[in-house]
Amino acid sequence: QPSGASVVEKLLTGMKELPIGSIVLWLQEVVDGRPNVVRLSAGTKSFLFDPVARVVEFHMATSAGRSVDLHLPLEKPAPNGRYFIVFIWDNSKGARLHVNDKVSADGLGG
């Protein structure tokens, strides 16, 4: 079983090096009694899960240099305290962000 550090390293490598990719996460609002703020940043891509500000964000630049900025609110707390999050990118087209049943897209169909 890989450690947390090696999982994060693989996610960051994928975000930086894959021209087309997706990452699926199950994230809890609170871990060990503290807000579970998750930030990933690699190359032109960045992801933020912020249960304090109640937002999920994904940002990237396409290969043509266009900025893609996706935001979705964390609505009322998830029944099990966890959120199902998917972000998908295509460096030539754009990205799509899913938080539970909500979708935000720019350049990729929703």
Side-chain angles (χ1 to χ4, degrees):
Q1 179 114 2
S3 71
S6 67
V7 169
V8 169
E9 193 172 291
K10 286 180 183 177
L11 294 177
L12 295 176
T13 299
M15 285 174 66
K16 185 174 183 181
E17 296 180 4
L18 295 176
I20 298 172
S22 63
I23 294 178
V24 177
L25 303 167
W26 279 101
L27 294 176
Q28 293 179 241
E29 282 191 67
V30 177
V31 174
D32 296 329
R34 296 176 29 192
N36 184 31
V37 176
V38 176
R39 293 179 197 272
L40 300 171
S41 182
T44 69
K45 298 173 190 76
S46 66
F47 167 81
L48 171 67
F49 172 82
D50 188 340
V52 177
R54 309 229 30 91
V55 68
V56 178
E57 301 176 354
F58 181 71
H59 304 281
M60 66 170 277
T62 66
S63 48
R66 184 174 67 82
S67 181
V68 175
D69 301 297
L70 304 176
H71 306 264
L72 282 171
L74 289 176
E75 295 176 352
K76 60 182 176 247
N80 59 2
R82 295 188 330 169
Y83 290 87
F84 178 67
I85 298 170
V86 179
F87 53 99
I88 302 162
W89 68 87
D90 180 327
N91 286 354
S92 67
K93 297 178 183 176
R96 190 167 66 230
L97 173 66
H98 297 253
V99 177
N100 293 342
D101 60 348
K102 305 287 185 213
V103 178
S104 178
D106 182 345
L108 292 181

